[in-house]
Every structure is written in C-alpha cells, then in structure tokens.
Amino acid sequence: MKIKYSLSIILFLLTITIPGKGQTPGNFKLKSATDKSQFVLSKSNGKFVALHFLLKTECPNCLRHTRQYFSKAETLPNVIQVFIKPDDETEIKKWAEKLPADALKKFPIYRDPDAKLAARFKIPNGYLFHNQLVHYPAMILIGPNGKEVFRHTGKNNTDRYSFEQLAVKVRELTKK
C-alpha cells in the first residue's frame, strides 16, 4: 500500500512541476450547463484558451476562483476563459446560481461528463473531496496554435493559479 501511494505522489508531482508537457487531446467540444452555448477548441480563432478544471460538487474555493477570473477576464482579451465542472447539469446550475448572472452570460460553465476531458488531459485523479474521489483542480493554457503551452495542477482545493499569474504567463508567452 505504501509503495503504491508513494508512486502516485511522485507521478502527481511530475505533472504539476513540468509546465507545458501535457498532451493536448486535439479538438474537443463542451456543452454549457448554464446556457445553450458550446465551446469548440478549433473555433478559438488564434487566441489563448485557459481551461479551468473545477472540482466536483459544492466548492467555495471554485466559486471564489471563478468570480476572480470573471471580474478580471476582460483585461486579457487575447485569452478565452473556459470554466469546466464534471457535475451533472442540475448540480452545475445550482452551483452557478451563486455567481453573478451578467458574468455567466459572458462566461458560461461547461460540463465535462464523468471528467472525461480531464482524463484526456491527464489531470491526476484521486483527490478526496467531500467524500468523493475527484481530479485535482487544474488550469491548462492552450496556445494560439491549439497546443498546450502551460499547466498548473493544484495540490489541493486551495492551490489555484491566480489571474495575476495567468496574466504574467500570457505576457511571457506572447513575447516569445
């Protein structure tokens, strides 16, 4: 049991410390749970895309994180912000009621049924949250060319990539 646990910790640490090494799963489509929109990666028109993989179930830190990004997103017009939850549509709608309605119109919450997209991006699973095993919180940045250029996988529910960190990372990648 200890060896198995230690190996999973090592694998997890490798995924959070090697930015941009994840595999982009090609084009994908997500349906919104908060409106009738869809997000299709291939239609991002040469912009950066920040994929925010939020935790399942009721999560105050996910709400705080999402609100912070909502309030500042317009300062990064070359980045499409995509918020993703693995819950069912009803649970997402209930959770999203706590977000500003006007911001939800600009930034719908998309559904990742059974966290299949998170698995395709190889976001580690196995985080115990509200008595459920879920994937770790993560932010993956896709470049204008459609390939992953950076990722941050949190060690726990409070370990999130701040908007300010994203702004610095985008400026850094834009200069290259």
Side-chain angles (χ1 to χ4, degrees):
M1 181 74 168
K2 281 186 177 181
I3 294 172
K4 194 175 188 182
Y5 181 75
S6 297
L7 181 59
S8 66
I9 294 294
I10 291 167
L11 291 172
F12 171 72
L13 290 173
L14 284 172
T15 64
I16 63 170
T17 57
I18 305 175
K21 297 296 184 191
Q23 296 194 14
T24 303
N27 194 32
F28 60 88
K29 178 179 10 178
L30 296 168
K31 291 182 181 181
S32 171
T34 56
D35 65 16
K36 300 209 181 296
S37 68
Q38 292 184 29
F39 174 78
V40 181
L41 180 62
S42 63
K43 295 182 179 181
S44 59
N45 298 324
K47 291 187 173 192
F48 286 95
V49 176
L51 301 173
H52 303 273
F53 288 90
L54 305 172
L55 295 178
K56 186 173 175 52
T57 70
E58 188 59 35
C59 175
N61 286 317
C62 291
L63 281 169
R64 188 177 318 109
H65 173 82
T66 303
R67 281 189 196 113
Q68 288 171 354
Y69 271 83
F70 278 6
S71 70
K72 299 172 184 176
E74 291 179 352
T75 65
L76 279 179
N78 60 333
V79 180
I80 299 169
Q81 308 289 338
V82 180
F83 300 92
I84 307 165
K85 284 184 74 62
D87 299 295
D88 69 36
E89 192 169 329
T90 305
E91 290 171 315
I92 293 172
K93 284 180 181 180
K94 184 178 177 189
W95 177 83
E97 287 174 356
K98 298 173 183 125
L99 294 167
D102 58 327
L104 268 176
K105 290 178 185 173
K106 295 178 196 171
F107 309 104
I109 308 301
Y110 294 96
R111 186 164 178 255
D112 180 15
D114 301 318
K116 289 180 182 173
L117 184 62
R120 283 174 58 191
F121 271 102
K122 298 185 176 161
I123 296 171
N125 197 3
Y127 179 58
L128 186 59
F129 184 69
H130 289 287
N131 296 318
Q132 295 183 48
L133 283 178
V134 298
H135 63 71
Y136 285 80
M139 191 283 302
I140 294 178
L141 187 62
I142 307 294
N145 63 358
K147 302 216 184 278
E148 180 179 336
V149 294
F150 179 79
R151 77 169 47 208
H152 172 81
T153 304
K155 295 183 279 294
N156 57 50
N157 189 23
T158 60
D159 185 9
R160 306 297 175 103
Y161 205 69
S162 74
F163 184 86
E164 291 74 18
Q165 289 172 301
L166 177 62
V168 169
K169 180 57 71 179
V170 168
R171 280 194 299 272
E172 174 188 301
L173 290 168
T174 303
K175 288 180 184 178
K176 288 183 179 181

